[in-house]
Amino acid sequence: MVEDDIVDNLTRFGLSEKEALAYVTILQNGSTTIRVISDETDISKSYAYDIVGKLEERNLIQIDDHVQPTQLRAIPPSEGIENLVSQLQTIETQLDDLFDSESYEQQRFSIIKSRRTILSQLVDLIDSATEEIILALPASALHRVEDSLQAAQDRSVFCMLLVTEYDGEVPISESIANVVQTWNAPAPVTLTIDRSDGIVSSADAVLNSNSDDYAIYHAEEHIVSSLFDSFIANYWPMGEQAHVAEREPLPRTFTSFRHAVFEATLYLMDGQPVTAEIEVRPTQSEDAFKTTTGTIIDVKQSLVRPFSNEFPTQESFVVETADETFTVGGYKAFLEDFEARDITLKGRGESPD
């Protein structure tokens, strides 16, 4: 690494440029003097005294003033850097005491005006998804997020992709989403991940660098839920189904209820029976979750065609046991009999553990 790079990196640890230059000079000379420091760094002799004093305070060098001229020696770099890190950790503790974490947590909304920043934020959110991705994006901007979508598929994140303003010419990789629909009309750019974060903007905001439009980022659960509801009710039904992934091998446990609904639907469409081991509790209650096992005999959904839902946002199982038949919905379900948490789907001949 060249000297300029070393100086630049040291300034990131809080040293001034002159302090960093003086420290590098001392390292290079082994044992040196104030005069050498002044000559080689082009700073005044009086200022050099101040600088070496600060370096000593940081435990980076030793000053031996029992000899003439005063000798300056660098502490071994491994010890010097450890001293810097220790000081930063002390500062971190002090700053944590001052930090208003409650106010920070409340800052869950922002307006993004730059096209580049909007696209970057889309990629960052997709990269951070652990359970599901819901995305509507113009065809000509799809290449911006394809690698991130592919990586999400590789880590088994469920993805619904609506490619808007589609002219039939732009190739769409079948490996970037569980289900892909295309629509030749414009629609808002919409992204939600994991029921936690979302972005919405006009298509022009991501297509035109000179656009005055902007995107809105939010991390409020109820807003993200409303954004998905708008997507699934108003835009998703307008698309033409272009790709559906093959069903996943079972057994498999899902923390995303939507993903479980999607997979169960594929099995039922193929005439394959599916049993489910589900953690449930009565809808709109604070009861503890309990595990129940039954056969999924029907699915209400609008994720993959043909849709079977009775209203736009409905996603639910009809489960049959030896004693009863009941309905199961996802997080904060309100119409079904039960709300589900983790779900394990099993195929023919597989019994609960």
Side-chain angles (χ1 to χ4, degrees), residues 121-193:
Q121 187 72 39
L122 289 172
V123 168
D124 289 346
L125 286 177
I126 292 170
D127 288 343
S128 69
T130 60
E131 292 187 5
E132 68 174 33
I133 297 165
I134 310 300
L135 176 62
L137 193 68
S140 58
L142 186 59
H143 68 283
R144 300 278 190 164
V145 299
E146 277 187 314
D147 289 346
S148 292
L149 289 174
Q150 179 63 69
Q153 286 286 285
D154 292 342
R155 59 180 189 272
S156 298
V157 178
F158 176 63
C159 178
M160 296 172 62
L161 173 63
L162 176 62
V163 181
T164 61
E165 302 188 41
Y166 184 66
D167 58 8
E169 300 296 326
V170 178
I172 302 174
S173 171
E174 294 185 350
S175 61
I176 60 175
N178 295 80
V179 55
V180 179
Q181 295 207 140
T182 60
W183 190 26
N184 60 8
V189 173
T190 304
L191 172 68
T192 70
I193 64 159

Side-chain angles (χ1 to χ4, degrees), residues 20-48:
L21 285 168
Y23 179 46
V24 169
T25 301
I26 296 170
L27 285 170
Q28 290 173 328
N29 286 277
S31 180
T32 190
T33 65
I34 291 291
R35 180 175 180 177
V36 172
I37 297 296
S38 176
D39 291 344
E40 294 193 11
T41 61
D42 194 27
I43 57 179
S44 68
K45 198 171 181 180
S46 59
Y47 189 26

